[in-house]
Amino acid sequence: MPTYRDEVVVLRTHKLGEADRIVTLLSRRHGKIRAVAKGVRRTSSRFGSRLEPFMVADVQLYQGRNLDIVQQAESLGAYGADIAQHYDRYTTASAMVETADRLNEAEATPQQYLLLVGGLRSLARGDHAARSVLDSYLLRAMALSGWAPGLGECARCGTVGEHDYFLAQLGGVVCASCAPAGSPRVARDTVDLLRALIAGEWDVVDAASGRTTAAASGLVATYAQFHLERGIRSLSHLESNR
């Protein structure tokens, strides 16, 4: 029987029957996987707790016709409990795994897997503000999918310089000549923060003011949802909690 092993992040789960679950996984080597975890809702299950959202595991799967079957699961990163204790971390992690779930198979690369694992680990440890972790994750995930925002030159005409407009539909910052009439200006420190978020310059990110952080978060959310072509539902819970 065809079996294989891989490292995975659990993105979401659905009940199946009385004791089983369908789990959606982002794996390191096999892209996105949908599999049946049999008996995991029973209290006697050997690995049910290892297949909850935000958990990282080493799994063995049997390759089925429509859905694979989870045969074994060993924990690699038990981040779920630490994340679930804090509302902001939980809603942030929910937005991250929802974004990862939107990736098509061509985009579900080992780099996307490692990016998500790193983001969940940072959230669980409380290394940085939860919303900043999300903003950095979204920008990097978009970049890995080929949608890196232009931040150093006009995204439309390529003019190098410090530009005062950011438009998701045009791909990032744009110069005054390319910005449509009535476009809102973006503060220079907000663009600098976007650069720091995508580069992982956490000393700059952590030192940013609340006003600048909020402005950058709004731009990141708009940019990510524009390129995903639909909203990230979990973001609405983050916005309502601000």
Side-chain angles (χ1 to χ4, degrees):
M1 295 187 297
T3 62
Y4 63 98
R5 298 192 72 91
D6 207 341
E7 298 173 16
V8 301
V9 179
V10 182
L11 303 180
R12 57 190 172 96
T13 67
H14 295 288
K15 293 180 181 179
L16 179 66
E18 295 184 356
D20 305 338
R21 278 200 179 104
I22 296 175
V23 293
T24 302
L25 313 166
L26 179 64
S27 73
R28 185 166 190 163
R29 294 182 295 276
H30 293 85
K32 283 197 301 182
I33 300 169
R34 294 185 76 239
V36 176
K38 295 187 175 181
V40 294
R41 290 162 54 203
R42 297 193 182 102
T43 55
S44 59
S45 171
R46 292 175 299 169
F47 53 79
S49 62
R50 302 166 196 167
L51 295 174
E52 295 291 337
F54 319 139
M55 303 295 279
V56 182
D58 182 325
V59 297
Q60 177 174 301
L61 302 106
Y62 167 74
Q63 189 174 355
R65 178 175 298 178
N66 297 314
L67 295 172
D68 295 351
I69 298 173
V70 180
Q71 296 180 318
Q72 297 177 11
E74 299 295 333
S75 178
L76 295 177
Y79 304 132
D82 289 329
I83 288 172
Q85 290 178 5
H86 304 270
Y87 180 78
D88 60 339
R89 296 184 192 179
Y90 178 81
T91 51
T92 293
S94 297
M96 290 167 64
V97 297
E98 184 181 347
T99 300
D101 194 24
R102 298 280 180 82
L103 301 173
N104 62 44
E105 286 303 322
E107 296 166 347
T109 61
Q111 291 77 17
Q112 291 282 7
Y113 166 82
L114 293 171
L115 177 66
L116 181 59
V117 171
L120 293 174
R121 182 188 301 119
S122 180
L123 274 181
R125 294 175 177 174
D127 292 338
H128 311 284
R131 188 57 192 260
S132 294
V133 173
L134 174 61
D135 291 340
S136 181
Y137 169 78
L138 290 175
L139 286 172
R140 293 183 184 191
M142 293 299 102
L144 287 173
S145 295
W147 299 322
L151 299 175
E153 58 186 30
C154 177
R156 188 171 188 180
C157 71
T159 300
V160 177
E162 297 292 343
H163 303 304
D164 298 324
Y165 302 90
F166 184 99
L167 296 170
Q169 63 270 32
L170 295 182
V173 296
V174 294
C175 64
S177 299
C178 292
S183 298
R185 288 179 177 272
V186 177
R188 194 63 48 80
D189 56 357
T190 301
V191 177
D192 290 341
L193 179 55
L194 293 175
R195 293 193 186 106
L197 285 164
I198 200 168
E201 297 172 349
W202 288 104
D203 54 337
V204 176
V205 174
D206 294 340
S209 69
R211 176 189 59 79
T212 301
T213 299
S217 293
L219 295 178
V220 172
T222 299
Y223 187 83
Q225 293 180 106
F226 176 83
H227 287 287
L228 290 171
E229 298 182 346
R230 55 177 171 162
I232 302 171
R233 290 175 297 174
S234 302
L235 280 179
S236 62
H237 300 292
L238 282 164
E239 296 297 337
S240 64
N241 193 48
R242 294 174 82 176

